[in-house]
């Protein structure tokens, strides 16, 4: 489940990085923006395939909360680290609460 969430988060961050570049005029397109966008699509598609595999082996009441929480937390951290987005104190508290929630949901 962790791998699926991290692949999903990477796909989201790559797509967010590339979208302003891909929506620019054609002369402003670079191989980096096209590559990042393509890699983002591949990563996000791979995360969906991994999600289907997870669902085939786990109850949705267990899998969904855990993968969603890990995806939210890792996307926030990656957006801060890679994209330079601001993370507020409230978001940090939310991530800490997500970690507590993962613990309790994982215990069943």
């Amino acid at each position: 489940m962790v791998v699926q969430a991290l692949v999903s988060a990477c796909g989201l961050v790559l797509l967010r990085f590339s979208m302003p570049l891909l929506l620019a005029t054609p002369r402003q397109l670079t191989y980096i923006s096209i590559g990042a966008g393509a890699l983002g699509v591949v990563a996000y598609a791979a995360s969906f395939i991994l999600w289907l595999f997870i669902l085939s082996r786990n109850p949705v009441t267990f899998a969904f909360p855990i993968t969603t929480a890990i995806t939210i937390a890792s996307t926030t951290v990656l957006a801060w680290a890679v994209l330079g987005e601001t993370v507020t104190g409230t978001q940090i508290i939310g991530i800490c609460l997500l970690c507590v929630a993962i613990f309790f949901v994982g215990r069943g």
Side-chain angles (χ1 to χ4, degrees), residues 18-98:
S18 64
M19 279 303 102
L21 302 171
L22 292 175
L23 296 175
T25 60
R27 288 186 302 217
Q28 294 175 315
L29 287 177
T30 65
Y31 290 117
I32 293 173
S33 62
I34 294 169
L39 190 57
V41 168
V42 168
Y44 208 63
S47 76
F48 180 72
I49 292 168
L50 289 169
W51 173 242
L52 294 177
F53 178 77
I54 290 167
L55 279 181
S56 73
R57 303 211 185 291
N58 297 283
V60 72
T61 56
F62 171 76
F64 184 74
I66 290 177
T67 55
T68 302
I70 295 170
T71 302
I72 291 169
S74 57
T75 301
T76 303
V77 171
L78 281 173
W80 169 75
V82 175
L83 301 175
E85 293 187 6
T86 302
V87 177
T88 65
T90 305
Q91 288 172 306
I92 292 171
I93 292 169
I95 290 172
C96 292
L97 290 173
L98 285 172

Side-chain angles (χ1 to χ4, degrees), residues 5-16:
L6 293 176
V7 171
S8 177
C10 288
L12 288 168
V13 169
L14 284 166
L15 288 171
R16 174 61 182 95

